[in-house]
Amino acid sequence: MDSFSDQRRKRNHLSPPLFLSFSILLSLFLFLNHFHYSFHSPTSHSLLISTPLRLHRRILFPHHVLLTLANPHHTLPPPTQLQCLFYTPLNHLHVQPVLSTDRFDQFRSIVRCPLPATSSNFSAVYLRRRGDPGGGTLVALDNQTVLSWNNLAYEAELDGDTAVVFVKGLNLRPHRISDPTRFQCHFGLTGSQNAAFSITTKAVTVAQEVVRCSLPHSIKNYHDKAEEISQITVTVSHEVMPSVARVDGYTARNNGGARKNKHELCACTMVWNQARALREWVMYHSWLGVERWFVYDNNSDADDGIDGVVKDLDAKGYNVSRVTWPWIKTQEAGFSHCALKAKEHCNWVAFFDVDEFFHFPNELGDRKNALRSVVSNLSSSNSVAEIRTECRSFGPSGLRTHPKRGVSLGYTCRVRSSERHKSIVRPEMIDASLLNVVHHFELREGYGHRNIGEGSMVVNHYKYQVWESFKAKFHRRAATYVVDWHEDLCRGSKDRVPGLGTQAVEPANWRFRFCEVWDTGLRDFLLSNFAHPVTGLMPWETSNERED
């Protein structure tokens, strides 16, 4: 029950129902917002008079500042045409290049600005066009506050009659479901200040960085109006936490029931500067039966080219969607978010990385759609909601440079023992808490998992690649509860690589490490079944990528 309902009963003779007032306020807010975009007057601080941008929020990360811009009707200039302006408390100016720009959602764009190396103390950050001598900014300011990434509600998704909020800074115990009675969700209008959060509901489930709350009736009334819903901000906890999380995603699953003709098998992954790996990974697993792809882009640099690769794959019919996910060290939360988004589209979702390839080592017949057949055979089960597959970790295999023909053909030597597992899950059967530890999810009561033996199916994990590629892991780890390798902590963790310290310095004989068993099974299969009969090229290769 909404927390304001008791007050409503007590004061019914004095005021209209609060949900009606909130709805009227929302409508008025939208009208004024539309008026701003249509009739914005130029100011001395706005260079884009015809296309005004509103700087909505600034979020401080360890190495960069993320700017969110409210510009639903316009596209940002490319990063090469922009500069970040950092002002110190003494009004000294530091000019930085823009790392990347992106479309965040239907109503917002984002810009990433690297922190100045010479000063970490700044009072403001703005944007300008590169080379502009006047120093004017491109934006009209909504809010001067710089928010800390360590304490922030950053995403929200609607799921049925609940709102799922993703929050950094709750400091809950990892890998466990927490007590929801300690938490509440607070809903208010985007852009409103001070008393911004006017409706409160109770939390239903809480785990790690994910809080699920009941949805206020006043928001349910707007279920078919995407723009109105997107103007509502939500935050959590017994004390109101800063928030950039807008309510979003009230789609067909909420008012039309389950989607008909779902894809049998989808895949979800999170990437950072791994565009060159996508074509091989998507094309091979599409052949195995994956029908829909959710690629969570975790701050790839502008020169990575991932947007172009995804658009090219999608144009070729691979049904790939890139999701802008600028939140660092949130892989578990990202996978929970993906499970929500995929639920209306997919019966099964595989959660695995772009350096991991499913392989059927003893399958002698036609392997086309083999992975989809595995999940299809279990779709009618009343007890199995997750399939777990062991991983085999491959090493550099003697190579000095990245294999141009792809990792599945280049890396052929691995460690003997299997490590961990990867999972394919039925999103409808995931526990309401969305709790996961990257490799698997908490399932609803009554459902369990099935292990697939290595003789039937295995994941080739091209984990220890040539040093040129592998050293990127020192930048940061994607998982929330894994220590970054440059920190001198958790030396005994299984996530750390044996023999590596805290610096990205190539160890002696790196290219010959992690090589106990030569395993050419997948490579041999691909060369026999995927190579073009005349050119010998793989589907993901171009002629100029072919190794000498």
Side-chain angles (χ1 to χ4, degrees):
M1 179 179 294
D2 298 350
S3 63
F4 56 76
S5 42
D6 289 339
Q7 299 177 25
R8 173 186 165 189
R9 284 194 296 268
K10 292 178 182 178
R11 300 183 298 178
N12 193 48
H13 64 289
L14 296 175
S15 61
L18 184 54
F19 80 85
L20 181 59
S21 301
F22 187 81
S23 301
I24 294 172
L25 182 60
L26 176 56
S27 300
L28 178 61
F29 177 83
L30 290 169
F31 172 77
L32 294 175
N33 198 47
H34 175 75
F35 183 87
H36 169 87
Y37 282 114
S38 302
F39 302 100
H40 178 76
S41 300
T43 70
S44 60
H45 297 291
S46 178
L47 298 180
L48 295 182
I49 296 175
S50 60
T51 57
L53 307 175
R54 290 167 53 203
L55 179 53
H56 181 232
R57 291 290 186 268
R58 288 170 281 198
I59 306 166
L60 178 61
F61 287 83
H63 303 291
H64 72 276
V65 172
L66 181 74
L67 310 180
T68 65
L69 300 171
N71 61 324
H73 307 299
H74 308 296
T75 300
L76 282 176
T80 54
Q81 296 182 18
L82 297 173
Q83 290 178 319
C84 304
L85 309 179
F86 288 85
Y87 288 91
T88 69
L90 297 178
N91 209 33
H92 294 154
L93 173 63
H94 296 267
V95 180
Q96 292 286 92
V98 168
L99 289 173
S100 65
T101 63
D102 216 332
R103 195 70 176 169
F104 184 49
D105 55 31
Q106 186 178 356
F107 306 100
R108 291 178 291 176
S109 295
I110 58 173
V111 176
R112 291 172 57 232
C113 295
L115 292 178
T118 56
S119 176
S120 59
N121 183 22
F122 64 92
S123 58
V125 55
Y126 305 97
L127 286 175
R128 75 176 180 193
R129 285 192 182 276
R130 180 179 292 276
D132 172 56
T137 65
L138 293 175
V139 295
L141 300 179
D142 266 6
N143 194 309
Q144 298 280 353
T145 305
V146 177
L147 303 174
S148 171
W149 168 237
N150 295 322
N151 186 53
L152 187 70
Y154 56 92
E155 286 279 358
E157 190 82 7
L158 300 195
D159 184 33
D161 292 332
T162 64
V164 180
V165 189
F166 299 83
V167 190
K168 182 68 72 172
L170 295 180
N171 298 320
L172 301 177
R173 296 187 66 179
H175 313 151
R176 294 191 180 185
I177 296 176
S178 300
D179 178 10
T181 61
R182 299 167 46 207
F183 297 92
Q184 297 174 319
C185 288
H186 314 277
F187 299 83
L189 289 180
T190 299
S192 30
Q193 302 297 318
N194 299 323
F197 299 101
S198 56
I199 303 179
T200 299
T201 65
K202 294 180 179 179
V204 179
T205 63
V206 179
Q208 297 182 157
E209 294 186 356
V210 181
V211 179
R212 183 189 293 268
C213 290
S214 55
L215 197 61
H217 294 296
S218 52
I219 296 180
K220 293 178 188 178
N221 294 337
Y222 278 85
H223 65 79
D224 58 344
K225 297 179 175 60
E227 183 167 358
E228 285 88 337
I229 286 291
S230 74
Q231 304 298 335
I232 299 173
T233 299
V234 60
T235 189
V236 302
S237 130
H238 45 83
E239 296 180 2
V240 177
M241 183 172 287
S243 176
V244 295
R246 291 192 184 186
V247 172
D248 193 13
Y250 211 99
T251 55
R253 68 174 176 268
N254 297 296
N255 58 24
R259 179 188 292 261
K260 295 180 180 179
N261 301 320
K262 288 184 179 181
H263 299 298
E264 187 66 14
L265 178 59
C266 303
C268 181
T269 194
M270 187 174 289
V271 298
W272 172 68
N273 288 344
Q274 292 172 296
R276 70 179 180 182
L278 275 179
R279 287 172 56 85
E280 176 188 9
W281 186 73
V282 167
M283 289 181 175
Y284 169 66
H285 287 99
S286 290
W287 189 82
L288 288 181
V290 177
E291 302 161 285
R292 175 77 188 270
W293 305 83
F294 300 91
V295 178
Y296 276 56
D297 184 3
N298 194 206
N299 287 321
S300 293
D301 295 334
D303 59 1
D304 179 59
I306 185 173
D307 190 45
V309 172
V310 168
K311 288 179 179 177
D312 180 67
L313 286 168
D314 195 53
K316 288 180 168 61
Y318 287 98
N319 202 5
V320 184
S321 300
R322 184 175 74 96
V323 180
T324 302
W325 189 259
W327 319 116
I328 65 172
K329 293 191 72 64
T330 57
Q331 189 173 33
E332 293 89 343
F335 281 179
S336 295
H337 188 272
C338 187
L340 283 177
K341 292 182 73 69
K343 184 168 62 172
E344 63 171 305
H345 301 281
C346 316
N347 290 326
W348 293 83
V349 183
F351 291 86
F352 62 122
D353 300 330
V354 295
D355 60 356
E356 296 168 336
F357 286 64
F358 282 87
H359 175 41
F360 298 81
N362 296 319
E363 180 63 53
L364 301 178
D366 184 9
R367 301 183 195 178
K368 186 173 177 59
N369 295 323
L371 191 57
R372 188 160 72 224
S373 296
V374 171
V375 300
S376 295
N377 291 336
L378 292 172
S379 290
S380 60
S381 172
N382 294 323
S383 59
V384 178
E386 182 179 62
I387 299 169
R388 296 184 180 179
T389 309
E390 295 295 320
C391 297
R392 293 174 175 174
S393 297
F394 283 70
S397 306
L399 301 181
R400 295 182 182 274
T401 59
H402 181 79
K404 294 180 180 179
R405 303 199 70 187
V407 295
S408 58
L409 271 65
Y411 297 119
T412 55
C413 196
R414 61 175 174 85
V415 297
R416 188 177 304 277
S417 301
S418 300
E419 296 181 341
R420 297 181 174 177
H421 62 265
K422 291 294 173 168
S423 297
I424 308 175
V425 301
R426 298 168 68 179
E428 290 282 358
M429 307 309 172
I430 292 175
D431 185 77
S433 67
L434 301 175
L435 176 66
N436 73 84
V437 290
V438 179
H439 302 292
H440 58 267
F441 280 83
E442 184 79 11
L443 301 175
R444 285 166 45 184
E445 186 175 355
Y447 289 90
H449 68 271
R450 177 171 294 181
N451 294 318
I452 305 296
E454 289 186 62
S456 300
M457 185 171 72
V458 71
V459 172
N460 280 9
H461 186 184
Y462 301 106
K463 181 177 181 179
Y464 307 109
Q465 300 190 17
V466 296
W467 188 255
E468 168 200 357
S469 303
F470 186 81
K471 67 181 181 181
K473 294 180 181 286
F474 276 88
H475 176 73
R476 60 175 165 83
R477 309 295 286 139
T480 308
Y481 303 102
V482 171
V483 174
D484 288 340
W485 288 353
H486 59 263
E487 298 181 28
D488 193 13
L489 298 169
C490 302
R491 287 286 188 130
S493 169
K494 290 183 179 180
D495 180 71
R496 286 193 178 272
V497 179
L500 291 189
T502 58
Q503 302 297 320
V505 178
E506 181 175 0
N509 298 318
W510 172 260
R511 65 192 184 101
F512 298 112
R513 294 192 179 194
F514 314 106
C515 181
E516 298 172 348
V517 177
W518 289 97
D519 183 346
T520 63
L522 181 54
R523 185 198 68 173
D524 295 343
F525 172 79
L526 291 174
L527 290 174
S528 298
N529 294 272
F530 278 65
H532 190 278
V534 177
T535 65
L537 293 174
M538 308 304 288
W540 48 86
E541 284 186 282
T542 59
S543 57
N544 62 345
E545 291 174 331
R546 183 68 180 268
E547 287 185 313
D548 296 335

